[in-house]
Amino acid sequence: PYGLSRCYDDQRGRGRAEDRLEAAVAKLFDLTPNGIIEMLDLRHPQYRKVAAYGHFGRENLGVAWEKTDKVDELRAAITAREGYDYEIILVNDYPDDDTFNVIAGLCRDDPKIIGVNLSRNFGQTTAKMAALPFVTGDVLVYMDDDGQHPADQIYKLVDKVLDEKYDLVYAHFPHKRHSLFKRLTSRLNAFVLELNGTKPKGIALSSYLAMNRVAVEALKKYKSPFPSIGGYLSHVVRRCANVDMEHRDRLYGTSNY
């Protein structure tokens, strides 16, 4: 799914979400080599099933790394900060596996989680647009779910919007965990967008971003069969900024870009 997290501040409280997440991960996962082997049951041969055609989109393979048994614990670790409230909108654009059943379970357990299930994969931007009707808070944060966007640093974006009054804040990854081809094509795309005026000069675009309520309301009015969120907002809002973050390795799979 594409994960979207939205947080708003009512008392300007400050917490240590990073410390809580680190403690939760240390408690929930044994990340020693032997612990990983035991958790993923790697001593039992189970690789022939995925030796050809991979495992994404294929059901009932029974491989240990496809389990979602840690979702509830991790959700509890990252969704609380003193003085803030939250709402999470999860958009699933691959309806042929068990992902939305997991999302539905999270929604039943927590009324602050909303699940949206698309009929097929329409692309990342369309998935993000599908969440907009459900956004009600002061700050919207878009993020992917592949682990490369650090959820424990979400408040770096939120604080930049709320405290420094920026309209739009993008995460900037000085060292990207992408292939050389993707890095080169991304730079070329950024150059073209800046040249034609659809990207703020000197601002690095990213799919991990936060925006204020003004930008959210403007985006809700945006109607296009081929939406470009960054391009549209560049003509609506003026105060944009970057926040440096660590770009992490994907937790699983490979990018389709």
Side-chain angles (χ1 to χ4, degrees):
Y2 293 105
L4 296 91
S5 300
R6 177 184 54 75
C7 311
Y8 62 87
D9 174 43
D10 53 7
Q11 297 177 2
R12 292 296 188 270
R14 292 293 179 267
R16 290 289 298 166
E18 297 89 347
D19 293 342
R20 290 197 297 273
L21 179 63
E22 182 178 355
V25 170
K27 180 179 179 180
L28 297 173
F29 296 93
D30 182 355
L31 297 180
T32 63
N34 185 66
I36 294 173
I37 290 171
E38 293 296 330
M39 180 171 57
L40 299 182
D41 198 23
L42 298 181
R43 288 194 176 93
H44 294 88
Q46 53 187 317
Y47 314 110
R48 184 172 296 177
K49 303 173 185 177
V50 297
Y53 308 109
H55 63 283
F56 294 102
R58 299 167 63 193
E59 299 181 6
N60 303 318
L61 289 175
V63 290
W65 54 83
E66 285 287 89
K67 294 181 179 178
T68 55
D69 55 317
K70 299 295 184 183
V71 172
D72 290 333
E73 293 95 330
L74 286 177
R75 172 179 56 87
I78 66 174
T79 54
R81 183 180 184 182
E82 184 179 353
Y84 281 68
D85 200 357
Y86 72 91
E87 183 176 74
I88 299 176
I89 305 169
L90 299 171
V91 181
N92 178 48
D93 66 353
Y94 189 82
D96 298 324
D97 61 11
D98 192 52
T99 300
F100 196 72
N101 288 332
V102 175
I103 292 175
L106 295 174
C107 295
R108 287 191 294 269
D109 294 339
D110 188 342
K112 295 182 180 181
I113 297 179
I114 296 173
V116 179
N117 200 28
L118 302 185
S119 60
R120 66 177 179 86
N121 189 332
F122 292 95
Q124 186 186 71
T125 302
T126 300
K128 289 180 175 180
M129 296 294 289
L132 284 172
F134 305 97
V135 175
T136 59
D138 296 333
V139 180
L140 167 66
V141 179
Y142 280 120
M143 66 182 300
D144 298 341
D145 75 326
D146 56 11
Q148 291 191 294
H149 293 169
D152 56 321
Q153 297 181 36
I154 190 172
Y155 290 104
K156 287 185 177 181
L157 299 170
V158 173
D159 293 344
K160 196 80 172 176
V161 172
L162 291 175
D163 294 343
E164 300 184 38
K165 308 303 181 184
Y166 281 96
D167 302 309
L168 193 59
V169 180
Y170 292 95
H172 173 240
F173 305 109
H175 306 287
K176 289 189 175 181
R177 303 286 186 172
H178 286 157
S179 67
L180 176 61
F181 176 77
K182 185 172 182 179
R183 293 199 303 270
L184 291 176
T185 53
S186 294
R187 289 181 182 179
L188 177 61
N189 181 63
F191 173 76
V192 172
L193 291 178
E194 191 167 303
L195 196 64
N196 65 23
T198 56
K199 183 181 88 68
K201 189 174 182 179
I203 297 295
L205 302 185
S206 164
S207 56
Y208 194 13
L209 69 152
M211 64 186 74
N212 63 13
R213 189 71 209 179
V214 173
V216 170
E217 291 302 320
L219 202 56
K220 285 184 176 182
K221 300 175 182 177
Y222 180 33
K223 308 296 181 184
S224 171
F226 307 105
S228 171
I229 292 176
Y232 175 74
L233 289 178
S234 68
H235 295 288
V236 176
V237 299
R238 293 299 177 189
R239 286 181 52 80
C240 302
N242 281 130
V243 174
D244 285 350
M245 289 191 187
E246 175 192 4
H247 197 237
R248 297 173 179 171
D249 291 324
R250 292 177 68 95
L251 293 176
Y252 51 81
T254 57
S255 173
N256 290 324
Y257 286 99

